Amino acid sequence: MEFVWSVVAFIGEAIEAIFGYAEHHHWLFALLAGGYVFYLHDRSVHARFDALDKRVDEIRRRLAIEY
C-alpha cells in the first residue's frame, strides 16, 4: 500500500510541477494557441479560395461547351 501511495504522490507532484510551469510561462502557451488559431484561419481562407477557383473553372467549362 505504501508503494501505491508513493506512486499517487509522485503523479500529484508531477501535475503540480506542470501547473507551476504553466503559471510562470503562460505567455508561451498563449503564443502557441494564437499561432494555432492563425493556422486554422489561414487554412479556412485557402479552402474558401480553392472552392471559389473550382466554381470559376466549372463555370468556364460550361460556357466553353455552350459556344
Side-chain angles (χ1 to χ4, degrees), residues 16-37:
E16 185 179 358
I18 291 169
F19 283 146
Y21 182 83
E23 183 178 343
H24 292 286
H25 297 88
H26 59 275
W27 57 270
L28 176 66
F29 297 105
L31 184 67
L32 291 174
Y36 186 65
V37 167

Side-chain angles (χ1 to χ4, degrees), residues 28-67:
L28 176 66
F29 297 105
L31 184 67
L32 291 174
Y36 186 65
V37 167
F38 179 76
Y39 167 74
L40 291 178
H41 181 270
D42 190 50
R43 280 186 53 193
S44 69
V45 168
H46 284 289
R48 288 179 187 169
F49 280 123
D50 289 343
L52 186 61
D53 284 341
K54 287 180 184 178
R55 289 184 201 151
V56 169
D57 289 343
E58 181 64 28
I59 291 170
R60 286 182 180 157
R61 271 190 243 123
R62 288 183 184 181
L63 288 173
I65 291 172
E66 291 179 7
Y67 294 109

